[in-house]
Amino acid sequence: MSTQPRQCWSVLVQKTTRDKTAAQLAMTQAQAQLERLQANAQRIETMMSDYRTQHESVQGQAHQIADSLNYRRFIDQLETLRERVQRDVTAAATQRERLRQVLLGLEMELKKLAKLQEQDAQKALQQLNKREQNRLDEWGVMRYQFGRQAG
């Protein structure tokens, strides 16, 4: 049995650390994308509200049927766009949550690997101490036997 800790643990820790860093970057990008989409959704809501307010203020005045049709088409387009953005927001939130779960898993794996690495180092140290104690015991026995033979 070797008295040196195995090198595989440090390699696995390094790989998991790289994976964790990549997952953190992906998580940051997903969060930024989600925030952009939420801002877009808010802008669409603001546009709809402003356009409705503007249309209602003009409603009391005489207007043409074409104006009403244009208003209705524009509102329909904004509602369609709002629905699409909401689907995108939901998908982005799901993606961010999935990445968060991956990140949590990698953090747990990293802790586990660090613990295994520490246990392996302790085991190697114990083996080294045991081997050293055996040498000292052998030396003591030889010295005792030499003293008995000489005396």
Side-chain angles (χ1 to χ4, degrees):
M1 195 76 171
S2 173
T3 57
Q4 294 293 318
R6 292 181 282 186
Q7 296 300 311
C8 65
W9 300 119
S10 61
V11 171
L12 289 171
V13 166
Q14 289 173 355
K15 181 191 178 308
T16 304
T17 301
R18 281 193 308 268
D19 291 348
K20 180 183 169 194
T21 302
Q24 286 172 327
L25 177 62
M27 176 82 167
T28 302
Q29 291 170 343
Q31 180 64 32
Q33 174 70 8
L34 179 61
E35 289 171 2
R36 280 192 301 274
L37 288 168
Q38 288 172 335
N40 286 345
Q42 185 59 43
R43 278 194 294 276
I44 291 169
E45 289 295 329
T46 303
M47 281 177 56
M48 287 178 73
S49 175
D50 290 348
Y51 195 72
R52 279 189 180 124
T53 303
Q54 181 184 11
H55 182 69
E56 287 171 5
S57 69
V58 178
Q59 190 117 19
Q61 302 170 358
H63 61 281
Q64 297 179 354
I65 295 176
D67 291 338
S68 292
L69 288 174
N70 286 339
Y71 164 77
R72 180 72 359 254
R73 280 191 208 119
F74 186 67
I75 290 296
D76 287 343
Q77 288 173 350
L78 285 178
E79 286 177 355
T80 301
L81 184 59
R82 179 180 61 185
E83 290 170 4
R84 191 176 79 213
V85 169
Q86 280 305 117
R87 282 192 305 270
D88 291 347
V89 165
T90 302
T94 301
Q95 173 71 2
R96 185 193 61 187
E97 181 60 25
R98 187 189 65 75
L99 288 169
R100 190 182 72 77
Q101 293 296 325
V102 166
L103 187 59
L104 288 173
L106 286 169
E107 287 172 351
M108 288 176 29
E109 182 71 14
L110 195 56
K111 288 177 184 178
K112 180 180 82 174
L113 288 172
K115 186 171 184 152
L116 288 171
Q117 185 178 23
E118 180 183 330
Q119 288 174 351
D120 192 49
Q122 288 176 351
K123 186 177 178 181
L125 182 60
Q126 288 172 350
Q127 289 174 350
L128 181 64
N129 289 341
K130 184 177 178 182
R131 190 172 289 168
E132 198 60 36
Q133 185 62 46
N134 286 342
R135 284 189 200 136
L136 287 173
D137 290 346
E138 288 174 11
W139 185 76
V141 168
M142 285 191 315
R143 188 170 169 180
Y144 174 75
Q145 289 175 350
F146 181 71
R148 285 188 70 199
Q149 289 175 355

